[in-house]
Amino acid sequence: MSTYAAISDLSFLLVEPSETQRKIIAHALGEAGIRQIEFANSIASTLETLATFPPDLIISSMYLPDGTANELIDKIRNNPDTEDQCFMLISSERNREHLEHLRQSGVLAILPKPFTNKDLNRAIRATLDLIAEEDIDLELFDPKTLNVLITDDSPMARKHIAKMLNSMGIENIEFAEHGKEALERLNEQEFDLIITDYNMPEMDGRELTEAVRNSPLLAHIPILMVSSNAEDSQLSNIVQEGVDAICGKPFEPSTVRQLLAQILN
């Protein structure tokens, strides 16, 4: 069980090359109750700081002198010592293609510049929720015996979802890279919940949902779909096709906790 009880216990690393932006964000963090803030201005200085000061949350700008936040998150996720690091982006970048990699990498939030204090506070709370481990309260299941299948073609996304479930007391987790592999796993063992991405090769989330709902042996399993395109019109009717709930990427632990309690209870 984590010893964290309050926002003031959290430590942050702010990666921002602009002195003006550093002051603005640091001031907002201070108003939110954050007291422990370290600073970096590049990928190199961030990695150097992580070696001696592993923070609870990294807040980074998109563009840095020696690369982008996409390159930074790859270096963090590919290092066993930092792969579980909580990460948030604050950027004026609006191009979905430039942001997609971060969405798939398990960031807790992507905030625009300028950001609102409300959005910043939600992201900070998400960090606390992920760190302060607390078993999810389910009427019909013991979280520790719940069997979950995560289906996502992104290894980083799979790890992030698994870490979030672990923080809720869910330990029995299996993985599949796409819908076809998921069906193979579903026919091999019993699962209580399927968490699936929408966009995947071989067989996407909609096709997986259709196959599960058309199978007499699998149709009862609840399905939570996660997608960086959750707001798109192509997903507007997915609930009618058998998905129990949809969650956008990036997602907050409290949102997933609420959705799981809803569909499992």
Side-chain angles (χ1 to χ4, degrees), residues 8 10 48 63 69 72 79 125 143 180 187 190 194 238 248 261:
S8 58
L10 298 174
E48 181 179 350
Y63 297 105
L72 174 58
N79 183 338
R125 282 289 177 187
K180 284 187 177 180
N187 288 318
E190 293 185 4
I194 299 169
I238 196 71

Side-chain angles (χ1 to χ4, degrees), residues 64-217:
L64 305 168
D66 51 353
T68 68
N70 288 321
E71 296 170 84
L72 174 58
I73 194 68
D74 281 348
K75 292 182 180 296
I76 290 172
R77 294 288 185 252
N78 290 328
N79 183 338
D81 294 330
T82 60
E83 62 181 358
D84 292 330
Q85 174 67 58
C86 293
F87 192 98
M88 180 174 81
L89 179 78
I90 296 182
S91 174
S92 56
E93 178 62 68
R94 295 294 188 274
N95 189 309
R96 287 187 62 90
E97 292 183 3
H98 293 171
L99 298 173
E100 181 63 20
H101 185 70
L102 285 163
R103 294 181 189 275
Q104 298 294 342
S105 301
V107 298
L108 284 180
I110 297 177
L111 302 190
K113 287 181 181 179
F115 55 86
T116 67
N117 288 340
K118 179 180 178 181
D119 288 339
L120 182 63
N121 282 322
R122 286 181 60 185
I124 294 172
R125 282 289 177 187
T127 304
L128 192 62
D129 288 343
L130 199 58
I131 295 172
E133 300 175 357
E134 181 181 353
D135 287 3
I136 187 172
D137 185 17
L138 300 174
E139 296 176 5
L140 305 178
F141 296 93
D142 177 353
K144 289 182 171 52
T145 63
L146 195 70
N147 293 316
V148 180
L149 177 62
I150 297 175
T151 307
D152 198 306
D153 59 315
S154 166
M156 288 187 287
R158 293 196 299 269
K159 284 184 178 180
H160 177 62
I161 297 171
K163 178 188 177 184
M164 181 185 55
L165 295 180
N166 290 157
S167 74
M168 301 177 190
I170 299 173
E171 302 172 352
N172 299 329
I173 303 171
E174 299 289 338
F175 303 96
E177 294 186 11
H178 48 69
K180 284 187 177 180
E181 184 179 353
L183 285 178
E184 294 175 1
R185 302 304 302 272
L186 288 164
N187 288 318
E188 293 171 353
Q189 66 184 95
E190 293 185 4
F191 288 96
D192 303 301
L193 173 68
I194 299 169
I195 299 179
T196 180
D197 191 21
Y198 180 79
N199 292 307
M200 296 181 293
E202 300 289 338
M203 177 185 285
D204 63 23
R206 182 190 60 78
E207 293 168 326
L208 172 60
T209 298
E210 183 179 2
V212 169
R213 293 296 176 244
N214 287 333
S215 169
L217 297 178

